[in-house]
Amino acid sequence: MIVLKTSRELAAMRDAGRIAQRALRLAGEAVEPGVSTWELDRIARRYIEEQGAVPTFLGYGGFPASSCISVNNVVIHGIPGKGTLLKEGDIVSIDIGATYEGFVGDNAWTFPCGKVSEEAQALMDTTRESLFAAIKAAQPGARLGDVGSTVQRYVEARGYSVVRDFVGHGVGAKMHEDPSVPNYGTPGRGVRLLPGMTIAIEPMINAGTHAVKVLPDGWTTVTADGKLSAHFEHTVAITADGPVILTLPD
Ligand code: MG
């Protein structure tokens, strides 16, 4: 069931989104060689809790941290660890949710650690651009296939592949609501977007094959071929005036 939000609920979601975005930026600013992913998680968690919010991911399905931090060939759901130290040239995807006054903001960004290869930079740029192209496609009256196909066409034209096993999602009082928001699809197909819908659009884009596998810890999801992956995400409201990003810093 897709839950449409009132303008008052959208305002609350904007507050949650602001906290999630600021936590993401703080963690991202701390990305540098030698820093552990555990430290990045600590920074994010402290900020979220200082705001009177709750880290949405902590304990979700048993997840042991406040953020997912996924380095290089890790696609999503990397578990922060004191032993995972960043190196020059890594690409670091950080995914953070904050719950505030009953609503969730969910966002992700891939940060370079020091100087990265041209290939890594191009993957990050393309993935980020595909997110913003998809947001622009999320107009009232459009369909989810318009959103997903926008990502798919943008990245496949540049030689990358779209992860199929994981998709974006509706978001609101719960982190995962209907509908599913794939990063692939057929224009003109799928659920019609209506004002009041709130969705997390989150392209997960691989340099090589789209295939992924989940490691025995049950979370860490890596590319099947060991190549790089990038991930960018915003929580977006569909309004009568068009899409509005809720995970902005102010
Ligand atoms: Mg999400």
Side-chain angles (χ1 to χ4, degrees), residues 48-197:
I48 290 168
E49 291 180 341
E50 278 171 4
Q51 305 310 306
V54 172
T56 313
F57 297 2
L58 186 61
Y60 186 93
F63 191 77
S66 299
S67 57
C68 298
I69 305 185
S70 306
V71 181
N72 293 336
N73 64 312
V74 183
V75 179
I76 50 167
H77 299 166
I79 300 172
K82 287 183 176 171
T84 306
L85 302 178
L86 300 180
K87 304 182 305 297
E88 179 89 13
D90 284 344
I91 64 170
V92 185
S93 301
I94 306 177
D95 191 348
I96 293 177
T99 305
Y100 184 71
E101 300 197 338
F103 287 96
V104 174
D106 188 8
N107 61 179
W109 203 261
T110 302
F111 299 92
C113 181
K115 185 155 176 46
V116 303
S117 69
E118 272 179 41
E119 292 76 14
Q121 187 64 50
L123 173 66
M124 290 191 293
D125 289 346
T126 298
T127 307
R128 187 187 64 249
E129 290 158 7
S130 77
L131 168 61
F132 287 99
I135 292 170
K136 199 178 278 184
Q139 300 291 335
R143 291 178 182 270
L144 279 176
D146 299 315
V147 175
S149 65
T150 296
V151 173
Q152 182 176 14
R153 288 196 284 196
Y154 193 87
V155 307
E156 289 182 351
R158 289 157 181 81
Y160 302 116
S161 62
V162 174
V163 170
R164 308 304 172 96
D165 292 2
F166 295 90
V167 297
H169 49 92
V171 55
K174 288 188 294 186
M175 175 157 64
H176 292 124
E177 296 186 348
D178 288 336
S180 289
V181 182
N183 298 298
Y184 53 88
T186 306
R189 296 288 187 84
V191 169
R192 191 178 291 283
L193 297 174
L194 298 173
M197 285 176 62

